[in-house]
Amino acid sequence: MRFTKPRDLLAAGLVAGLLAHLLIRLAYDTLPPLPTFAGFTLLVIAAVNGWLGFSLRARILRKPGAQPVEPLTAARAVALAKASSLLGAIMLGAWAGVLVYVLPARGDFEAADHDTVSGIVGAACAAVLIGAALWLERCCKTPEDPHRDQ
């Protein structure tokens, strides 16, 4: 398995952003207001990723008192990290697509003011999720063996 590449996340985010922007352009007047704290779900997932990263890092580095990590546990954590970073990229793109539409329309529609706050909260939470997921993925890396050259 390889580390997540930024270009993969960027591509997913761009596609999601374009689709979200197109949907908002076509149907903004029929949509209900966006929930202000809709992005906080991503923050909860980011907290789980961060906690798991710190927990696994100590175990993988074999810190004193830490139990060793089963290989399957590490593989599951990497799969969670990859899925979470992709989700974060897609949601960051989607919230950015919403913001591109509602920021210029803030003066024209009252709902656009409210949706701007929702978009900023969602984009920030998605960015935190990407960071936490990439941290978890990095924490699951096998440490270099200092006796490997001998």
Side-chain angles (χ1 to χ4, degrees), residues 37-138:
F37 300 112
F40 276 128
T41 330
L42 302 174
L43 201 57
V44 171
I45 299 169
V48 169
N49 276 273
W51 173 79
L52 193 57
F54 282 109
S55 172
L56 285 176
R57 183 171 190 207
R59 293 172 63 192
I60 289 173
L61 294 176
R62 296 182 180 99
K63 301 271 178 161
Q67 296 177 337
V69 178
E70 295 290 326
L72 191 56
T73 302
R76 287 178 179 158
V78 170
L80 173 67
K82 286 185 162 293
S84 295
S85 64
L86 185 60
L87 171 66
I90 289 169
M91 292 308 298
L92 180 59
W95 285 115
V98 168
L99 284 171
V100 166
Y101 182 80
V102 296
L103 279 173
R106 283 187 304 169
D108 299 335
F109 305 108
E110 185 178 323
D113 287 332
H114 178 269
D115 292 344
T116 299
V117 174
S118 301
I120 291 170
V121 168
C125 291
V128 170
L129 176 59
I130 293 169
L134 293 176
W135 169 251
L136 173 58
E137 188 175 341
R138 174 119 170 88

Side-chain angles (χ1 to χ4, degrees), residues 8-22:
D8 297 339
L9 298 179
L10 184 63
L14 285 174
V15 169
L18 290 172
L19 290 174
H21 184 72
L22 180 63

